[in-house]
Amino acid sequence: MNLGHPIASGNTAKIYLYENKIVKIFNDYLPDTESSYEANKQKYAYSCGLSVPKVLDVTKIDGKQAIIMDYIKGITLGELISENMDQAEYYMNISIDIQQKIHMITTNSLEPMSEKLRRQIEAAHNLDKRHKADLIRKLDSLTFENRLCHGDYHLYNLIMSDNKVTIIDWVDASAGDIRADIYRTFLLYSQFSSELADMYLRLYCEKSGLSKDSIFQWAPIIAGARLSENVSSEKTERLLEIINHYCPR
């Protein structure tokens, strides 16, 4: 099958637009279960009534794992803000309203967040044994109700089309603490813009009644887990500074 050139690519897959559908082709090094693992999370979010692209098929194309899903034509909220920063708070408010809808869903149907974070912390090469033990101890001490958490929620994973916003990229979704999900989003924004990160946190706290302190309980845990992701745009030193601030040597 000739899919043409990818319209996007990430750490795990390339995205193609083919016959007005999105075809996500996974990299060869991933486990054979990767496509069904991700598709099941997206199907679950769709079944909850959220605006999510419908999964049409989980298959293999030229021997590679693939997910075929609805194509959502539009522009991301991230692109809209980058074109007009004066509208940043307007679009940030829209994004938070949608994230709160996600966080209202109580679930035990997905991978537990605590298991996912534990696995990531243990896999982080930049953390010594003592720091790993401290972070896992802190993780075990936190209590929360399991809610649906996107795990990679930001303005570029929200597509606006005909005044409707669709949420994409559900591979990191889990059942866990919404405060961890909020901190993760804050951490992603702070990598590029402290202004956007602070705006996001202020607006989410105002809308939810949550305190910054309760959200920042998760700071060292989420930073430690992110170390295992090996994201080229993320600075290891920045994450280690966060961890050392909350878990000094």
Side-chain angles (χ1 to χ4, degrees), residues 81 84-96 155 186 189-190 193-207:
I81 284 181
N84 185 0
M85 276 302 291
D86 291 342
Q87 293 288 304
E89 189 156 329
Y90 171 74
Y91 289 116
M92 188 65 82
N93 267 308
I94 290 174
S95 78
I96 292 168
L155 294 159
F186 171 82
Y189 289 149
S190 67
S193 168
S194 59
E195 181 187 355
L196 277 182
D198 291 343
M199 178 193 294
Y200 166 76
L201 191 65
R202 173 178 59 79
L203 291 171
Y204 204 111
C205 288
E206 285 174 6
K207 285 172 177 282

Side-chain angles (χ1 to χ4, degrees), residues 121-140:
I121 289 165
E122 287 173 347
H125 300 305
N126 300 93
L127 287 176
D128 58 36
K129 284 184 179 179
R130 192 188 67 76
H131 264 142
K132 287 181 182 181
D134 283 351
L135 293 178
I136 288 169
R137 198 177 304 118
K138 192 176 279 288
L139 174 62
D140 290 341

Side-chain angles (χ1 to χ4, degrees), residues 226-244:
R226 186 153 171 78
L227 277 172
S228 71
E229 295 175 32
N230 299 317
V231 180
S232 58
S233 59
E234 179 63 89
K235 292 178 180 173
T236 299
E237 296 77 17
R238 179 178 93 103
L239 298 174
L240 288 171
E241 276 179 21
I242 294 168
I243 294 162
N244 285 321

Side-chain angles (χ1 to χ4, degrees), residues 44 48 102-112 145-149 174-176:
Y44 178 76
C48 291
I102 298 170
H103 288 165
M104 284 173 66
I105 297 167
T106 304
T107 183
N108 288 304
S109 299
L110 295 182
E111 176 183 20
E145 182 181 21
N146 277 340
R147 301 288 185 95
L148 179 58
C149 294
S174 65

